[in-house]
Amino acid sequence: MRIVVAGGGAAGFFAAITAAAENPDASVIILEKSPKLLSKVRISGGGRCNVTHDIDSLSALLSKYPRGSKFLKNTFSQFGVKETINWFQSRGVRLKTEEDGRMFPVTDDSETIINCLLDISRKLKIEIRTNEGLAEIKTDKVFTLKTTTGNTLSADALIITTGGHNNSGHYQFIRDTGHSIVKPVPSLFTFNVPGSIFKDLMGVSIEKTGLQLPQYKLKESGPFLFTHWGISGPAVIRLSAWAAREMEESSYKFRCLVNFTGKLNEDEIRQHLLNFRESHPKKLVAGNPLFELPKRLWEKLVEQSDITDSIKWGDLPKKNLNKLVEALTRTEFQVQGKTTFKEEFVTAGGVSLDEVNPATMESKLVKGIFFAGEVLDIDGVTGGFNFQSAWSTGWIAGKNAASGNE
Ligand SMILES: Cc1cc2nc3c(=O)[nH]c(=O)nc-3n(C[C@H](O)[C@H](O)[C@H](O)COP(=O)(O)OP(=O)(O)OC[C@H]3O[C@@H](n4cnc5c(N)ncnc54)[C@H](O)[C@@H]3O)c2cc1C
């Protein structure tokens, strides 16, 4: 039996290794279009590879996937976070958990993951061809595959793990087999706010903010960062994932409201300010940041509330106090574009999940074709969730391709 895996990334290697281990008689070939193997693993997590996330409950794990959570329920029940950790640990890769739950190899080096996958592939005698991509699939009793170098090879099973791409042409050879591709759009990006009055706060971060996108009825909370182009930070990037499709449809033009105090509402903040005024009437408003806000941000919000530097709390007119409450809880950013978040980005969209069996990763349309990884219409927020779905779907695809899925 010959199994061909198209794509030498995380999902491709996991699928190939699992298939070769499951069926030692099978010949397994990885076709990689580019000269490099596992290139995203190498650069991931700032070169440290955020392999997965320490999360126990299945429902909590599924809640990290803006697209694909329903489909992944079955996947993660078969091979989830625990199985992934065991898989790596039993092959000599020890993982550690950071405070926020992200898991990395203890070496803090993505090469550890790459070496592990390459070593096992060598031991299992997986044939790896670089600079040779899959170009065309002819489906019959066996598959006849044309590669980008003009070669032809046959396969009994084909596992497609060619990753995500914002250019829909990337998926044409899959479309040609009758599969539907959900329009690919970018996910995980930062927001551009041209002409923002906060531009000079570039680099200032706030630990706890509350964000709202009224247009998409979405809310997020978490760390926030002012950038040269606009706004970023985990809360912003999570929002970009949840509304990736809607934002693309509105050409990345929308309003983002920020509550710089985190979860406090207007009444709570007003009361807090009134209490402060009563106990510190002689203190300057501008010089005394509240809510643990960075001084530069506080001063900017005070300035936006038309409060001059010399005004003391005891002399603060009600009108300006109300403006300050508004600035603290509902500062509005007019987003007009996006910037790639260099640390991690993914594609939302890909092979339609309606056409794939979640228990096996096999196509419902063409028996013997399996899909895994980002090529599917699955993507997660940052934190190791994108690799987790690549490992899990890759493992299941490899296992079922090797067993003939009888
Ligand atoms: C900068 C960056 C950092 C990231 N960091 C993290 C992180 O720390 N944690 C995390 O969970 N996720 C991270 N991600 C996301 C994660 O890397 C991807 O979700 C994951 O790599 C998807 O794996 P994959 O195997 O499906 O696709 P890919 O890794 O994209 O691999 C697909 C492979 O297929 C090849 N290919 C394409 N077309 C063909 C063809 N026709 N024939 C043969 N081969 C083909 C490509 O060249 C590529 O090598 C990061 C992404 C980026 C861009």
Side-chain angles (χ1 to χ4, degrees), residues 304-355:
Q304 287 308 301
S305 312
D306 300 324
I307 301 169
T308 55
D309 287 354
S310 58
I311 292 192
K312 295 188 176 127
W313 275 102
D315 306 324
L316 184 64
K318 193 173 167 213
K319 191 177 101 192
N320 300 84
L321 187 133
N322 285 339
K323 277 191 175 180
L324 185 55
V325 171
E326 173 87 7
L328 283 161
T329 54
R330 290 174 63 84
T331 285
E332 184 168 323
F333 293 87
Q334 292 288 345
V335 179
Q336 290 185 45
K338 63 172 174 56
T339 296
T340 304
F341 175 55
K342 301 265 173 9
E343 285 176 34
E344 180 173 353
F345 50 89
V346 284
T347 303
V351 174
S352 168
L353 300 180
D354 292 342
E355 297 170 1

Side-chain angles (χ1 to χ4, degrees), residues 97-129:
T97 308
E98 306 223 314
E99 240 174 62
D100 58 4
R102 291 181 303 157
M103 297 192 73
F104 296 87
V106 288
T107 55
D108 274 332
D109 189 352
S110 56
E111 291 298 330
T112 306
I113 302 295
I114 294 175
N115 291 339
C116 167
L117 297 172
L118 291 179
D119 281 352
I120 299 172
S121 304
R122 232 171 274 127
K123 282 186 191 132
L124 291 169
K125 301 198 167 37
I126 294 169
E127 185 188 341
I128 300 173
R129 300 188 190 176

Side-chain angles (χ1 to χ4, degrees), residues 7 10-11 31-33 44-45 50 134 162 343-344 373-374 384 386-387:
L31 295 178
E32 167 54 52
K33 188 168 78 172
S44 66
N50 176 196
L134 176 59
T162 44
E343 285 176 34
E344 180 173 353
E374 216 181 297
N386 285 300
F387 276 139

Side-chain angles (χ1 to χ4, degrees), residues 1 54 68 126 172 183 185 196 202 207 246 253 265 270 305 309 368:
M1 173 185 203
D54 185 12
I126 294 169
Q172 193 52 48
K183 184 181 174 189
V185 299
S196 165
M202 181 179 104
E207 220 20 66
E246 292 83 351
K253 290 193 173 65
N265 65 32
R270 184 171 292 103
S305 312
D309 287 354

